[in-house]
Amino acid sequence: MNARQAALEIVSNVLKNKSYLNLESKRVLSANWSAEDKRFITALANTTIENLFRIDYVLKQFITAKRVHAVIMNILRIGACQLLFFESVPASAAVNESVKLVEKVGKRQLKGFVNATLRNLSKNLGKISYPDRETDLAEFLHIFYSYPKWLCEKYLAEYGEQQTEQMLSFSNDHSLTCVRKNLLRDMRLPENFSAGKYLEDAFYIKNASSIEKMPLFTGGGIAVQGEASMLCVHAAGIGKQDRVLDACAAPGGKSAYASQFASGGQIVSMELYPHRAKLIEETFERLGVANAQILVQDASKDICDYHDGFDVVMVDAPCSALGLLYRKPDIKILKQKEDIPPLVKTQRAILEACASYVKKGGTLLYSTCTIDRAENEDNMEWFLKGHPEFVMNEPGKYLPEKLSKRLHGGMLQLFPHIDGIDGFFIARLKRI
């Protein structure tokens, strides 16, 4: 198998099986590839999925057949991806290597079709037409930036034309991975780790395709965790002796981080699924977390024994993950408009149950990794109407100054294109 075959396998499995891009990539890249091949495979698979709507729209202008076999369509997609987005790949190589793939997948009779389609595209790259943004802006944004049309329409309604296009056009350095220095282990970080944008214990590693194999990782010196996720724990304002509940806790990153703040207290990590609770257990063991316990429990179901039992309750609710689309492009394909109302219902049920666990004077920290007002601000408005015993409580003193300036009524919406990190929502409430 060569690098393009590997990228084809990843793309085909993501589209056919609706599987996660990162898991498919991890599986394929587990073979003995060179560092250069790994980077090319990752870039080709990711860029194809990231620009899928645009690639398909362009290909339709050059495909003459009424029906195209799924694997041939995927070969055309990765070929077109190279022609459209890979300046370092000669057009001849993009076409010829795609034709070779046709034979490798047992469709030799279609080599001429693939060759003709991609050569025609190659010769007419400057003549490609896109939807007219003046007559249908949402359609133009949907195709050109390759985001679902329903999401383009939603963002236009909620954020306006300028901010929407800034959000959709944003691209970050995908070669960087954010890690957190674990203060529970005394391990020195290499000098090539670059400093985080907001937090002193956040660092970035470049081109680290196998972090889980690094001695620094296996020894518990670092945890893979984004700065936005870390900021949620900061915003909770956890005290040294606090008892903290982390609802929906898997894979345990926030709980492990919280344990550093509540060094003399206790962490309870709640998780619905036993196999994901096992991930929390493995995380705690690797990072040396000793003041935490794991509870397999549905966070939306009330536990009478927990009433008024915690100084801090963190609800990192299951959500649409729209704040991660800039680095997890498969979500654009997998997520549907119809998925959001059931998520909101679940989020509200979890909030309802977990609110009763907060002591008087205690903190309820609600967070999501989405940019969706229905799951964020609307949920807070709904919750406060039904719970007069809670009020918004500005977390500004626990956050970096440049972020605290953007707080609105105790709430903070992070945007990748503005803040350079994941799009998280953070709200801090106090029980009075």
Side-chain angles (χ1 to χ4, degrees), residues 95-113:
V95 175
N96 294 337
E97 292 300 321
S98 296
V99 173
K100 290 178 183 178
L101 284 178
V102 178
E103 187 162 9
K104 290 181 184 295
V105 300
K107 300 291 182 182
R108 182 184 178 88
Q109 72 276 16
L110 295 174
K111 288 170 63 176
F113 167 68

Side-chain angles (χ1 to χ4, degrees), residues 135-293:
T135 57
D136 193 341
L137 179 58
E139 179 70 9
F140 170 80
L141 297 174
H142 158 53
I143 296 300
F144 195 79
Y145 296 113
S146 211
Y147 274 74
K149 188 170 183 180
W150 68 266
L151 188 57
C152 297
E153 293 170 339
K154 181 180 182 64
Y155 283 170
L156 285 170
E158 294 183 358
Y159 296 107
E161 180 178 338
Q162 183 178 1
Q163 174 137 331
T164 295
E165 189 154 11
Q166 289 173 348
M167 290 164 63
L168 301 186
S169 64
F170 176 75
S171 180
N172 207 1
D173 187 348
H174 297 315
S175 68
L176 294 175
T177 301
C178 187
V179 298
R180 171 177 65 81
K181 182 178 181 181
N182 178 28
L183 301 183
L184 301 178
R185 302 285 197 203
D186 186 18
M187 299 180 73
R188 178 186 287 273
L189 302 187
E191 293 183 359
N192 63 342
F193 280 28
S194 57
K197 296 178 174 66
Y198 301 100
L199 301 172
E200 291 183 355
D201 47 357
F203 295 86
Y204 288 85
I205 311 175
K206 191 171 182 67
N207 294 326
S209 58
S210 301
I211 290 180
E212 67 277 2
K213 295 180 181 179
M214 294 173 57
L216 190 60
F217 179 89
T218 57
I222 57 173
V224 177
Q225 187 171 14
E227 285 194 76
S229 172
M230 295 170 67
L231 286 165
C232 295
V233 180
H234 275 263
I238 298 169
K240 187 174 182 179
Q241 302 297 327
D242 281 353
R243 190 164 188 249
V244 180
L245 172 67
D246 181 11
C248 317
K254 289 189 180 69
S255 291
Y257 196 27
S259 72
Q260 294 185 177
F261 295 91
S263 57
Q266 182 192 27
I267 311 294
V268 176
S269 301
M270 185 184 293
E271 172 53 44
L272 173 60
Y273 300 105
H275 72 281
R276 288 178 61 79
K278 181 68 176 176
L279 294 178
I280 302 176
E281 182 180 343
E282 292 169 357
T283 297
F284 287 172
E285 183 177 351
R286 185 177 61 82
L287 298 177
V289 176
N291 60 336
Q293 68 179 73

Side-chain angles (χ1 to χ4, degrees), residues 1 15 21 26 53 114 147 177 227 242 247 309 331 368 375:
M1 180 185 292
L15 297 180
L21 177 59
K26 185 176 181 179
F53 300 132
V114 169
Y147 274 74
T177 301
E227 285 194 76
D242 281 353
I331 298 174
T368 69
E375 301 174 74

